[in-house]
Amino acid sequence: CNNMSIIQVDTLQKRDGSTFPIGKIGQVVQATTTTEVSNTTTSYADTGLTASITPTATSSKILVTVHQNGARSQSDQNNNSIYLKLLRGSTDISQIFVYSLYTGSGIDLYGASLSTSFLDTPSTTSATTYKTQFKNFVSGGHVRLQDTAAMSTITLMEVLA
């Protein structure tokens, strides 16, 4: 018994007469890294997680999904934590985490994953690079990502208008 139906329409219209946008995924790019990185400063440093996509239209949006794994905040300094942010090129577009893995008084903390999704509107058809950066909350602290070769991923999906 086949109970499948197919409905085909050209346009869906709301009560006010406007139409629903019909979005499609144009392309998907994924990059990974297992290279451990550490930071002992309060300045942002690259995590090694980066990917580029070339949108097919200026009206396209890019859905960025980040899974930054192997996070570790060491007890070198009390009251430390990891700050993690997402950038498009050199522009900050999202503060992913603030005060993640807060050490309190002298303990090492390990986290499974620092993850986020962000819908960006780059308004370009040029190659666009996304990456993450991280830092310590306090001077003298020590934070790591991809600790023990944990795999981090970044996925870019072009959502067509």
Side-chain angles (χ1 to χ4, degrees):
C1 178
N2 187 350
N3 292 328
M4 187 167 75
S5 298
I6 297 174
I7 298 174
Q8 294 180 332
V9 297
D10 293 323
T11 304
L12 294 176
Q13 191 173 35
K14 299 178 192 176
R15 289 181 189 208
D16 66 3
S18 63
T19 59
F20 289 98
I22 299 175
K24 295 180 181 176
I25 301 300
Q27 58 182 311
V28 177
V29 174
Q30 185 177 64
T32 65
T33 183
T34 57
T35 302
E36 182 178 313
V37 290
S38 65
N39 190 344
T40 58
T41 74
T42 55
S43 297
Y44 278 102
D46 289 347
T47 67
L49 189 59
T50 183
S52 295
I53 193 168
T54 304
T56 58
T58 57
S59 58
S60 293
K61 296 183 184 304
I62 305 298
L63 180 60
V64 183
T65 304
V66 172
H67 298 289
Q68 197 85 55
N69 294 314
R72 179 179 179 189
S73 184
Q74 292 182 235
S75 62
D76 300 2
Q77 184 70 22
N78 289 344
N79 304 316
N80 195 27
S81 61
I82 297 175
Y83 278 42
L84 182 67
K85 68 180 179 177
L86 176 65
L87 297 90
R88 179 193 341 105
S90 59
T91 303
D92 294 2
I93 59 172
S94 177
Q95 185 70 51
I96 300 172
F97 278 95
V98 177
Y99 300 119
S100 181
L101 298 179
Y102 179 75
T103 60
S105 56
I107 58 172
D108 281 5
L109 292 175
Y110 297 82
S113 183
L114 306 177
S115 299
T116 193
S117 292
F118 184 83
L119 187 61
D120 188 34
T121 308
S123 301
T124 186
T125 55
S126 297
T128 304
T129 301
Y130 294 87
K131 68 179 181 177
T132 55
Q133 290 185 333
F134 75 126
K135 71 173 186 172
N136 285 280
F137 172 60
V138 295
S139 181
H142 190 183
V143 293
R144 299 173 189 262
L145 293 170
Q146 290 91 237
D147 192 39
T148 63
M151 181 183 289
S152 292
T153 62
I154 184 169
T155 305
L156 310 176
M157 291 189 283
E158 180 184 16
V159 181
L160 303 173

